[in-house]
Amino acid sequence: MPEKKFDKLEYNKVYNKQHTKMICIYLRIEQDSDIIEEISSAPNKTDYIRNLVRADIERKKQASKNSEVE
């Protein structure tokens, strides 16, 4: 019985389904051109957005800690 050939596309499909999540947003060209331009100019769009979200999470944590102290 011949061995089954490794199917990289199938492997990637299964891996992505188990380990990743795609988030898609629509931006309006007229209203969001500044956002589109800023994201488009980033060399790594994924890292740029990750860093923005993580900075926002950290800011919220700090604000929560500050409100608990008061």
Side-chain angles (χ1 to χ4, degrees):
M1 190 156 101
E3 288 186 34
K4 185 176 179 186
K5 192 173 180 182
F6 178 72
D7 187 347
K8 185 170 172 57
L9 290 176
E10 183 63 25
Y11 173 83
N12 286 342
K13 179 180 168 185
V14 171
Y15 179 89
N16 286 336
K17 186 171 183 156
Q18 293 174 348
H19 299 283
T20 64
K21 176 76 172 176
M22 178 183 278
I23 298 173
C24 179
I25 63 169
Y26 288 95
L27 300 171
R28 292 187 50 138
I29 294 171
E30 299 85 15
Q31 294 174 326
D32 301 322
S33 61
D34 56 336
I35 296 170
I36 294 168
E37 185 177 329
E38 186 66 25
I39 293 172
S40 296
S41 70
N44 186 326
K45 293 159 188 54
T46 301
D47 282 346
Y48 179 72
I49 293 168
R50 277 186 190 139
N51 290 334
L52 287 174
V53 173
R54 287 188 174 129
D56 192 43
I57 291 168
E58 187 61 33
R59 183 185 56 79
K60 288 177 183 178
K61 284 181 185 176
Q62 292 298 323
S64 176
K65 286 180 184 178
N66 290 341
S67 67
E68 289 175 2
V69 172
E70 293 174 3

